[in-house]
Amino acid sequence: MSTARGTWFMRDRPVAIWLFVAFLVALVHPFFASSRWLVVHLVVLGVVTHSAMVWSVHFTDALLKTKAGFEERRWQTARLSIFQVGIILVFIGVPTNIWLLTLAGGTVISAAIVWHAIALGRRLRAALPGRFRITVRYYIVAALLLPVGATFGVLLARGLGDPWHGRLLVAHSMINLLGWVGLTVLGTLVTLWPTMLRTRMAPNAESTSKQALPVFILALVLVVVGPLVDLAAVAAAGIVAYLVGTLWVYRPIVAAARNRPPSSFPALSAGAGLFWLPIGLGLMAWSLLERGSWADLSDSYGILTTIFVVGFALQIVLGALSYLLPVAIGGGPHVLRLGMREMDRWGTARVVVANVGLALALLPVPSLVRVVLSVLVLVALGLSIPILLRGIYAGVKGRRAAAEQPPAPDGTPPQPVAPLATSWSRAELVTGLAITAVGATIGVGLDPTATRLTLASSKDQNPSAVTPTGHTTTVEVTAKDMRFHPAEVSAPLGDKLIIELKNTDTTNVHDIVLANGASSGRLSPGQRATVDVGVVSGDIDGWCSVVGHRQMGMVFAVKAIGGTGGTASVPASTSPRIDFMKKWGADFTGIDPVLPPLTDEKVHHVTLTVEDVKTEVAPEVFQTRWTYNGGSVAPVLHGRVGDTFVVKLVNNGTMAHSVDFHASEISPDVPMRDIAPGESLVYTFTAKRSGIWMYHCLTAPMTAHIAAGMAGAVIIDPPDLPKVDRSYVITQSELYLGAQSGPVDAAKAAANQADAMMFNGLVGQYVDRPLTAKVGERVRFWVLDIGPNRPLSFHIVGTQFDTVYKEGTHLLKNGRGPLDPPDYHSAGSQALGLLPAQGGFVETTFPAPGHYTILNHIAADAETGARGIITVTK
């Protein structure tokens, strides 16, 4: 037999090596070109194809009962070595654009695979009649298809233009993934799957495989012919036929799973892979019929590739290897359990995180949510590398120990190693779901506005066709200090535009992304890239897509010269762009953050006048705010428990408005009703409980009215509140910009697509006009999250809070928590976490002079306006 017991470098090591390389490339893929291609081919060629070459021989020998020594191990090693040389040439040739290397690599790979098919055919001819010869035929057909796919791949590397690039991409990927990988997997699992489950094989397993193979061959012919003759419907019919064959083969596979559902990692991983294959086939058929052109299909091929490569192929291989490697090492049941025990570590959790994370990442979620989920999937799959190595080591070590251990005098076998307890799988299921949920939540917290950066489709961006001039305009652009230099270039309509981009920054990675889809890829300091923008048919917007850089003002524009062309831009292109590095003018005063002092009055008469006011919400950025009393944020009201507030609401605005005081406990029907322009009402309530309470306009859509400025704070002092040296009020809210000087963008507010964050109604005002304090003074910060949508983690850099009061109760008081002993005063807090409409206060003393930053420790929001400075002096 060609795969004898024990270890064998060409069987056990290359897969682990290529898995590790793929993991590393996936980690750094944003920073160099061709990385996505490389990750896919590291998995498909380095991991999946190598494994298929090894284990298809193993199964052929087992099924056909091939005589020992039929083929010497050195010949199989030679085939695999030649194959490894071929893929190394391809991995070098494609990224470096050396086509001759790619051609040589494709030729070497094809030669090794053809040799592999011949070796399988020799075994089949020499074998006596028996069951499951059909499996070997699957292997041979699959092997003969791979050189066809390799030929298409080499032609793709030549750099063919559209539509041939898209047509060959479909033919190349489908013949390799469905022909070579798919047939090998489906031919193997009919027999391997019941073995992994430790259950009997369905009686119709062999006949089902025989019936399906002609269907698969016909389907693959259609899938290849369709793109070559420019008939997407033919290719779609081939995909549907392949899906029918797949579901037919699944019949005995599902029957085996019903007898004994999968519980170990090998079976769960392989089962998950089988689940993704029909999903990918259905989506592929739909995409072929739905897309307007082959180029459109190739532009959106990422999801399909991810499903077929990660969801299907990689999980199948990881599951199969986790089962087969301990078996191949040998040593008896005792040693087998040692290896299986290692392979099954955290198995359920790994499968749950990988598959739930993958499913969520494929949905239209914000970009950073997708990034975090992708990292979780990568880690879950990447853990297979050390676990595979641990399993091999455990099996080898156990085999050696068993060989060296003298037999017991009474012939008693060694005590078996128990497998991992099945109850752990239930706990791991919950753990895996929790990890994925936390990851998605972290992604939303990091950059919940990322959905607005989605590119418009190219066919929507340039509606006006222009006649190409045949001339090329080349411009040089540098990226430095969060700016492009120049930030705007011009090119004649019809010219082909080339941008030569250099990152001259000393620390930051940058790129340039244009709204028509052209991109430079990530550039490290000192790197250059050439961006082919294509034929200029109108103005085009651009930006740096590194998280936060666009918001900091790193934007770019292409202006078309002559005629009228379409405009390529992202949605809401009329919104003014905020420069978060720009300072407020010398005459700027801002909103006073000092808490209004208490008066002796027990009844507070307040008039709130609704007005539409054009307000500078950020330097040189204006919005028409809907206000109470003209400010970008509503005035702070201050009282004690038992005080009565008589509020007259006067609507001098242009639409209906209302008010809701959270500090009140009254029926909302009358005082909280909408009032039309020119009307007024009186709202009376008595404050019964202490805290910082939000008040706001309740008129629908409430998100827009709150975001437009119609919200503020009512502070009701707790009884016996100690005096402090200074008291400040900080409210956080979000800014949703429409056109310059226009009203709030209600659609953005409803979608939580904020342009900036604000403390007390203005962007970054306390950076240029800092708060003040002195060393040793006790300072109290009343904090309220106005929202309407985003949470707040209030933090001051360089100090700690010894008193924390949240939503009506002390969490800390003078360094002592509610459960701490009376003489303990060493507790502290670093942040006050608030959801929208929640509030409280914190107290601190500053240890030394300096400039202390106040911020929302949700860093993305701090970097877009939710921050300020406290200048502390002696």
Side-chain angles (χ1 to χ4, degrees):
M1 302 263 299
S2 60
T3 51
R5 300 293 188 184
T7 59
W8 172 30
F9 181 88
M10 291 306 294
R11 179 193 65 201
D12 303 327
R13 301 300 188 272
V15 170
I17 292 171
W18 290 123
L19 266 176
F20 181 68
V21 174
F23 180 81
L24 292 180
V25 173
L27 285 177
V28 300
H29 79 272
F31 304 106
F32 67 94
S34 303
S35 56
R36 297 181 188 276
W37 175 92
L38 189 56
V39 170
V40 169
H41 287 79
L42 282 167
V43 172
V44 174
L45 287 177
V47 177
V48 177
T49 299
H50 183 91
S51 298
M53 290 180 69
V54 170
W55 295 103
S56 59
V57 171
H58 172 85
F59 278 105
T60 297
D61 289 340
L63 292 170
L64 300 181
K65 298 180 175 56
T66 305
K67 294 180 180 180
F70 182 85
E71 182 184 41
E72 295 182 19
R73 170 70 61 79
R74 62 190 179 96
W75 294 117
Q76 192 175 1
T77 298
R79 271 199 308 274
L80 294 170
S81 300
I82 291 172
F83 171 73
Q84 291 294 321
V85 171
I87 63 176
I88 290 172
L89 291 175
V90 170
F91 291 160
I92 296 173
V94 173
T96 59
N97 294 317
I98 303 176
W99 187 72
L100 289 178
L101 273 183
T102 305
L103 175 62
T107 303
V108 172
I109 289 172
S110 298
I113 294 296
V114 169
W115 185 4
H116 171 72
I118 293 172
L120 295 175
R122 288 182 61 243
R123 285 168 165 78
L124 188 62
R125 287 195 304 271
L128 296 174
R131 297 187 65 197
F132 289 103
R133 293 167 64 91
I134 185 62
T135 297
V136 184
R137 293 191 174 95
Y138 269 75
Y139 295 156
I140 294 172
V141 172
L144 294 177
L145 290 172
L146 184 57
V148 179
T151 301
F152 293 146
V154 170
L155 293 175
L156 279 170
R158 187 64 172 167
L160 300 177
D162 290 323
W164 275 106
H165 176 84
R167 292 159 68 176
L168 286 178
L169 177 63
V170 173
H172 164 69
S173 59
M174 290 298 100
I175 202 70
N176 285 346
L177 290 172
L178 302 184
W180 164 245
V181 177
L183 291 184
T184 301
V185 166
L186 294 173
T188 300
L189 285 182
V190 171
T191 55
L192 179 61
W193 176 250
T195 307
M196 295 169 71
L197 296 179
R198 297 183 177 87
T199 187
R200 65 182 182 277
M201 189 182 303
N204 64 339
E206 185 178 17
S207 61
T208 298
S209 295
K210 290 180 179 179
Q211 294 160 1
L213 184 56
V215 177
F216 286 134
I217 294 174
L218 173 63
L220 291 166
V221 170
L222 295 176
V223 169
V224 173
V225 170
L228 297 183
V229 299
D230 196 16
L231 292 175
V234 172
I239 296 294
V240 172
Y242 195 97
L243 176 60
V244 171
T246 298
L247 296 178
W248 191 254
V249 170
Y250 275 14
R251 293 168 62 225
I253 291 175
V254 172
R258 286 176 177 173
N259 290 335
R260 187 164 186 173
S263 59
S264 64
F265 171 77
L268 288 171
S269 182
L274 291 171
F275 173 80
W276 281 105
L277 178 56
I279 294 175
L281 291 170
L283 183 59
M284 184 68 196
W286 177 84
S287 298
L288 284 165
L289 296 174
E290 181 69 16
R291 301 299 177 185
S293 68
W294 295 103
D296 289 342
L297 177 62
S298 64
D299 288 342
S300 59
Y301 220 53
I303 291 177
L304 293 166
T305 303
T306 301
I307 290 174
F308 284 121
V309 174
V310 179
F312 168 57
L314 183 56
Q315 290 200 100
I316 291 280
V317 169
L318 290 178
L321 289 179
S322 299
Y323 179 82
L324 291 170
L325 284 174
V327 173
I329 291 170
H334 174 76
V335 175
L336 177 62
R337 289 192 183 96
L338 286 170
M340 288 295 186
R341 180 182 176 87
E342 293 297 329
M343 298 295 187
D344 210 34
R345 286 192 180 277
W346 312 305
T348 304
R350 285 190 281 150
V351 172
V352 169
V353 173
N355 288 275
V356 177
L358 179 60
L360 293 176
L362 293 175
L363 297 175
V365 295
S367 60
L368 271 183
V369 176
R370 183 175 290 109
V371 169
V372 174
L373 290 170
S374 299
V375 170
L376 289 178
V377 173
L378 181 63
V379 171
L381 296 173
L383 282 173
S384 297
I385 302 170
I387 288 175
L388 281 170
L389 295 176
R390 282 174 60 96
I392 293 171
Y393 176 76
V396 172
K397 183 179 178 181
R399 189 168 184 258
R400 290 173 180 169
E404 295 171 358
Q405 181 179 354
D410 57 357
T412 303
Q415 183 68 26
V417 178
L420 295 175
T422 56
S423 60
W424 289 12
S425 296
R426 299 185 185 94
E428 288 181 20
L429 171 64
V430 176
T431 301
L433 292 173
I435 290 172
T436 310
V438 170
T441 304
I442 290 173
V444 172
L446 286 173
D447 188 13
T449 67
T451 50
R452 78 175 189 269
L453 300 181
T454 303
L455 297 177
S457 66
S458 57
K459 62 186 178 184
D460 294 332
Q461 292 164 351
N462 293 304
S464 302
V466 298
T467 302
T469 63
H471 182 263
T472 298
T473 297
T474 301
V475 296
E476 293 188 358
V477 178
T478 59
K480 185 179 181 181
D481 297 331
M482 296 297 174
R483 293 293 184 274
F484 291 111
H485 307 277
E488 181 178 306
V489 300
S490 299
L493 280 171
D495 269 21
K496 181 179 181 179
L497 177 61
I498 300 294
I499 297 174
E500 298 288 350
L501 178 66
K502 182 178 180 180
N503 181 7
T504 60
D505 226 329
T506 57
T507 56
N508 278 319
V509 173
H510 295 297
D511 66 6
I512 191 169
V513 175
L514 297 173
N516 67 351
S519 173
S520 65
R522 298 288 171 88
L523 301 181
S524 299
Q527 284 190 323
R528 291 177 174 269
T530 299
V531 183
D532 185 347
V533 180
V535 174
V536 176
S537 59
D539 296 345
I540 309 173
D541 288 338
W543 58 91
C544 178
S545 70
V546 177
V547 175
H549 289 197
R550 180 173 181 244
Q551 291 88 339
M552 296 293 285
M554 199 167 184
V555 293
F556 184 79
V558 176
K559 297 297 182 182
I561 302 172
T564 57
T567 299
S569 61
V570 294
S573 61
T574 58
S575 299
R577 293 190 176 98
I578 298 176
D579 185 347
F580 292 100
M581 301 178 72
K582 192 174 185 65
K583 294 183 178 297
W584 285 90
D587 58 346
F588 172 75
T589 56
I591 305 294
D592 186 0
V594 175
L595 174 66
L598 278 174
T599 64
D600 293 332
E601 61 185 355
K602 300 298 182 182
V603 178
H604 304 264
H605 292 273
V606 179
T607 298
L608 296 179
T609 302
V610 176
E611 300 173 275
D612 296 353
V613 179
K614 179 181 175 181
T615 305
E616 189 176 17
V617 291
E620 300 182 4
V621 175
F622 292 84
Q623 184 181 63
T624 297
R625 304 283 284 172
W626 306 337
T627 73
Y628 294 125
N629 293 0
S632 187
V633 67
V636 175
L637 309 183
H638 193 186
R640 302 175 181 86
V641 174
D643 284 1
T644 298
F645 291 79
V646 180
V647 181
K648 183 178 182 180
L649 177 65
V650 180
N651 187 358
N652 289 340
T654 56
M655 65 188 72
H657 292 290
S658 60
V659 68
D660 168 19
F661 284 89
H662 292 190
S664 69
E665 284 188 297
I666 59 175
S667 172
D669 294 349
V670 176
M672 300 184 195
R673 71 184 185 275
D674 290 352
I675 60 172
E679 294 184 354
S680 64
L681 61 77
V682 176
Y683 188 131
T684 303
F685 69 95
T686 298
K688 299 179 181 179
R689 295 179 176 85
S690 59
I692 178 169
W693 303 88
M694 181 175 171
Y695 71 94
H696 61 91
C697 182
L698 195 62
T699 303
M702 190 171 67
T703 50
H705 287 251
I706 293 174
M710 304 193 76
V714 177
I715 294 177
I716 307 300
D717 283 0
D720 302 320
L721 181 67
K723 291 184 178 180
V724 293
D725 298 294
R726 300 174 191 262
S727 287
Y728 291 115
V729 181
I730 301 294
T731 63
Q732 176 185 277
S733 55
E734 303 133 35
L735 180 64
Y736 300 93
L737 293 171
Q740 178 77 292
S741 300
V744 64
D745 189 322
K748 283 185 181 179
N752 190 15
Q753 296 175 350
D755 294 282
M757 305 299 296
M758 303 183 290
F759 280 167
N760 289 348
L762 300 175
V763 175
Q765 60 176 317
Y766 300 125
V767 174
D768 296 333
R769 300 295 183 272
L771 286 66
T772 60
K774 292 185 177 181
V775 174
E777 286 185 335
R778 175 161 286 273
V779 184
R780 178 179 295 138
F781 294 86
W782 287 93
V783 185
L784 174 67
D785 185 3
I786 285 175
N789 300 317
R790 307 275 267 275
L792 166 61
S793 177
F794 184 78
H795 174 72
I796 302 179
V797 176
T799 189
Q800 299 171 346
F801 309 137
D802 62 9
T803 297
V804 178
Y805 180 93
K806 178 180 177 180
E807 287 293 281
T809 188
H810 276 94
L811 305 180
L812 281 177
K813 192 171 184 179
N814 295 323
R816 179 176 175 270
L819 301 179
D820 292 332
D823 59 345
Y824 183 81
H825 294 282
S826 298
S829 174
Q830 59 195 316
L832 172 61
L834 303 171
L835 294 174
Q838 289 188 328
F841 68 77
V842 295
E843 293 177 10
T844 189
T845 56
F846 295 93
H851 297 83
Y852 296 75
T853 301
I854 61 173
L855 53 83
N856 183 345
H857 217 291
I858 299 174
D861 289 349
E863 292 165 359
T864 53
R867 59 191 176 96
I869 302 292
I870 306 168
T871 300
V872 178
T873 57
K874 291 184 179 180

